[in-house]
Amino acid sequence: EKPSGPQAQATQVLKKGDSQYRRFTMISDTIGPDPAVTEAIQKGNAVVFLDVSLGEGENETLLGRIKIELFMLDCPKTCENFRQLCTGEFLVNEQPTGYKGSTFHRVIKDFMVQGGDFVKGDGTGQKSIYGTTFPDENFLHRHDQPGMLSMANSGANTNACQFFFTTAKKADWLDGVHVVFGKVLDAESMLTVRKCEAVPVSNQKPRIPLRITECGEL
């Protein structure tokens, strides 16, 4: 059986271990240069990705890949923190440390999907490549469309590892409070964010683990 094309593969929900799951990973990594990725890099930005799965063990299913354009020229410090936590370049006790294996712990439909707490997993953990926290870099970008990538915080100048994707048309009450430093790159990636947003929750916590199974830089 031949795959029906990279876009069709990317929008399926696939079980880990299935040949289709392996085929998705292989195709998504070998279909050649992505024009959107190339364009972002030519602008001087970086592009990273998060592969997201739902469930655990034999019941784990791949939701898809989120490609993210990081605004390296506008927010270099914030972007470098996120980039290294995606690639595993950040080491703790000589071990790669970052988002791989961490979960999205908070989902609010029509607002946002939050994750990145690889320290405690519940929204209380803090760690960055610069120390526990680092200051707000700037507020050049706004929460003015779905798919904006922004730093979660516990007050001014408390950026660390946690982040969120907006799913609202706009969330302007966050402007000047949370640092926007990137955006979801394309419609296919935004579909994966929407799948995350649709997961059943209890008190804003996904009832089924929503996990970053792989991440890195493109």
Side-chain angles (χ1 to χ4, degrees), residues 46-65:
V47 178
V48 295
F49 72 90
L50 307 174
D51 287 343
V52 184
S53 291
L54 181 67
E56 295 180 294
E58 294 181 355
N59 296 319
E60 183 179 4
T61 56
L62 179 69
L63 296 185
R65 171 169 289 186

Side-chain angles (χ1 to χ4, degrees), residues 44-118:
N45 290 330
V47 178
V48 295
F49 72 90
L50 307 174
D51 287 343
V52 184
S53 291
L54 181 67
E56 295 180 294
E58 294 181 355
N59 296 319
E60 183 179 4
T61 56
L62 179 69
L63 296 185
R65 171 169 289 186
I66 305 172
K67 297 176 186 177
I68 306 158
E69 179 178 356
L70 300 180
F71 303 147
M72 298 293 292
L73 298 179
D74 293 339
C75 305
K77 188 169 184 177
T78 308
C79 290
E80 184 61 15
N81 179 68
F82 190 86
R83 191 192 69 79
Q84 288 197 30
L85 294 179
C86 284
T87 63
E89 292 173 57
F90 177 56
L91 303 179
V92 175
N93 297 324
E94 300 184 354
Q95 295 299 314
T97 301
Y99 296 136
K100 185 174 180 178
S102 68
T103 62
F104 288 96
H105 62 272
R106 188 181 183 207
V107 175
I108 304 176
K109 189 170 177 57
D110 299 321
F111 178 30
M112 62 89 169
V113 176
Q114 181 174 337
D117 183 1
F118 57 83

Side-chain angles (χ1 to χ4, degrees), residues 18-40:
D18 289 352
S19 61
Q20 289 281 66
Y21 184 104
R22 294 192 296 273
R23 197 176 295 153
F24 168 89
T25 303
M26 180 176 65
I27 289 174
S28 64
D29 289 339
T30 61
I31 58 175
D34 182 329
V37 173
T38 301
E39 181 181 354

Side-chain angles (χ1 to χ4, degrees), residues 41-212:
I41 293 172
Q42 287 176 344
K43 290 190 295 185
N45 290 330
V47 178
V48 295
F49 72 90
L50 307 174
D51 287 343
V52 184
S53 291
L54 181 67
E56 295 180 294
E58 294 181 355
N59 296 319
E60 183 179 4
T61 56
L62 179 69
L63 296 185
R65 171 169 289 186
I66 305 172
K67 297 176 186 177
I68 306 158
E69 179 178 356
L70 300 180
F71 303 147
M72 298 293 292
L73 298 179
D74 293 339
C75 305
K77 188 169 184 177
T78 308
C79 290
E80 184 61 15
N81 179 68
F82 190 86
R83 191 192 69 79
Q84 288 197 30
L85 294 179
C86 284
T87 63
E89 292 173 57
F90 177 56
L91 303 179
V92 175
N93 297 324
E94 300 184 354
Q95 295 299 314
T97 301
Y99 296 136
K100 185 174 180 178
S102 68
T103 62
F104 288 96
H105 62 272
R106 188 181 183 207
V107 175
I108 304 176
K109 189 170 177 57
D110 299 321
F111 178 30
M112 62 89 169
V113 176
Q114 181 174 337
D117 183 1
F118 57 83
V119 181
K120 295 186 177 180
D122 60 3
T124 64
Q126 293 181 313
K127 186 179 287 291
S128 80
I129 67 172
Y130 309 113
T132 303
T133 62
F134 63 98
D136 297 323
E137 190 164 12
N138 60 58
F139 300 106
L140 293 176
H141 295 277
R142 300 184 179 279
H143 304 79
D144 56 3
Q145 62 182 307
M148 301 310 293
L149 174 65
S150 186
M151 291 298 293
N153 62 45
S154 55
N157 301 309
T158 58
N159 302 285
C161 50
Q162 294 186 51
F163 63 90
F164 62 93
F165 296 108
T166 60
T167 58
K169 289 184 178 179
K170 68 175 182 177
D172 52 4
W173 63 91
L174 301 178
D175 294 343
V177 180
H178 294 268
V179 177
V180 176
F181 64 101
K183 67 177 182 179
V184 174
L185 185 66
D186 53 29
E188 194 172 280
S189 298
M190 193 64 206
L191 176 61
T192 302
V193 174
R194 293 297 187 189
K195 290 178 183 179
C196 295
E197 182 189 24
V199 169
V201 298
S202 178
N203 295 322
Q204 301 178 359
K205 179 180 179 180
R207 295 180 183 175
I208 307 170
L210 194 56
R211 193 176 308 279
I212 297 170

